[in-house]
Amino acid sequence: MKAFIVSAHPEPKSFNTALFDLSVRALKGQGWEVRTSDLYAMAFNPVASAADFTDRVDPDYLVYALEQRHGYESGTLAPDIQDEIEKVQWCDLLILNFPLYWFSVPAILKGWIDRVLISGLTYGGKRFYDRGGLKGRKAMATITLGGREHMLAEDGVHGPLEDMLRPLLRGTLYYTGMSVLPPFVAWHVPYISDAERQDILKAYEERLGRLQDLEPLDFPSLDEFDDTLHPLKG
Ligand code: FAD
């Protein structure tokens, strides 16, 4: 089995990076092949722009998704994007490891999503959800945050974490066809004791040991919709 782990934390000694390092070690220990992208260490460029395309369908007006399709088909995407796409295509499991920033992913990871999960390959027309281009792969988010669990519960002050993460879990990972495993969440990380953080590392190692047994999150199948994407009756 092949895992591609993308890390998005600016501090190599952070707890978030400790989770990333652990995942590399633990999965390799279980016999997985592992490839990684440490986005800050790579100084990954998160800005989607015309510079991403060395050959343009329309040099006068940038339609980013159209140029993504052309760039992918003609092999003329910027090399940093090509490298990341190759790793995504290679893997059976994609792990996104990041601290929650503003109820969302850090900008560097959002830029990775925008530039790497390209139109034409990962989605296009009615190729999305369970017909998406990355079907057959699993994906999991590993997240540290400052908030406490009760603050992100159903009746919590911020509402449920999975609602907050909908753009990522449903709108990105499931949208592109992957089976989305429940996120691994490390709550209140800067404010708990060292011993509590050690317990989180143990829980993560245990989670990584039973990835095959985890039920993916439940999202609708396109089979439940007609050609115009209205829900089928009955
Ligand atoms: P760190 O501060 O790196 O680590 C915490 C402690 O763990 C440190 O003392 C460190 O030394 C120690 N540590 C490191 N390695 C280990 C180890 N191996 N074992 C034990 N201890 C270790 N939070 C929210 O809840 N919601 C938000 O919307 C949100 N938005 C944010 C927006 C921004 C721009 C920023 C900067 C933060 C935001 N946060 C938010 C908080 C953020 O998510 C957390 O601060 C972060 O996830 C904590 O994880 P960390 O790895 O950065 O912690």
Side-chain angles (χ1 to χ4, degrees), residues 26-75:
L27 290 178
K28 281 187 177 170
Q30 291 175 41
W32 288 67
E33 288 178 64
V34 178
R35 294 174 75 181
T36 59
S37 286
D38 182 345
L39 299 184
Y40 283 97
M42 295 157 69
F44 183 80
N45 167 24
V47 181
S49 77
D52 293 344
F53 313 108
T54 57
D55 177 60
R56 291 272 293 272
V57 176
D58 184 347
D60 297 324
Y61 190 105
L62 178 63
V63 179
Y64 194 80
L66 180 69
E67 298 295 349
Q68 283 184 315
R69 291 198 285 279
H70 171 67
Y72 178 65
E73 280 155 21
S74 59

Side-chain angles (χ1 to χ4, degrees), residues 16 27 32 68 91 119 127 132 154 188:
N16 191 276
L27 290 178
W32 288 67
Q68 283 184 315
C91 76
S119 176
R127 285 174 58 244
E154 192 65 43
H188 211 41

Side-chain angles (χ1 to χ4, degrees), residues 25-142:
R25 266 198 323 274
L27 290 178
K28 281 187 177 170
Q30 291 175 41
W32 288 67
E33 288 178 64
V34 178
R35 294 174 75 181
T36 59
S37 286
D38 182 345
L39 299 184
Y40 283 97
M42 295 157 69
F44 183 80
N45 167 24
V47 181
S49 77
D52 293 344
F53 313 108
T54 57
D55 177 60
R56 291 272 293 272
V57 176
D58 184 347
D60 297 324
Y61 190 105
L62 178 63
V63 179
Y64 194 80
L66 180 69
E67 298 295 349
Q68 283 184 315
R69 291 198 285 279
H70 171 67
Y72 178 65
E73 280 155 21
S74 59
T76 56
L77 290 168
D80 63 335
I81 300 176
Q82 300 266 24
D83 289 349
E84 295 303 296
I85 289 174
E86 199 258 309
K87 290 188 243 184
V88 170
Q89 288 184 297
W90 168 85
C91 76
D92 303 303
L93 168 71
L94 172 69
I95 299 180
L96 302 181
N97 193 110
F98 60 93
L100 193 73
Y101 278 6
W102 294 111
F103 287 24
S104 184
V105 296
I108 200 166
L109 179 55
K110 179 58 167 60
W112 182 92
I113 290 167
D114 292 348
R115 294 181 70 228
V116 175
L117 300 185
I118 58 167
S119 176
L121 170 67
T122 72
Y123 72 95
K126 291 197 189 116
R127 285 174 58 244
F128 63 96
Y129 286 178
D130 52 343
R131 298 181 198 165
L134 299 181
K135 193 174 164 72
R137 292 171 182 77
K138 291 181 181 175
M140 184 171 80
T142 296

Side-chain angles (χ1 to χ4, degrees), residues 184-216:
F184 181 85
V185 185
W187 305 99
H188 211 41
V189 160
Y191 313 105
I192 57 178
S193 67
D194 234 35
E196 286 170 309
R197 283 190 289 265
Q198 294 305 324
D199 287 345
I200 294 174
L201 290 169
K202 275 190 214 117
Y204 192 39
E205 188 159 14
E206 190 268 330
R207 156 74 75 104
L208 292 167
R210 58 181 178 89
L211 292 174
Q212 309 300 340
D213 305 332
L214 292 176
E215 268 305 302

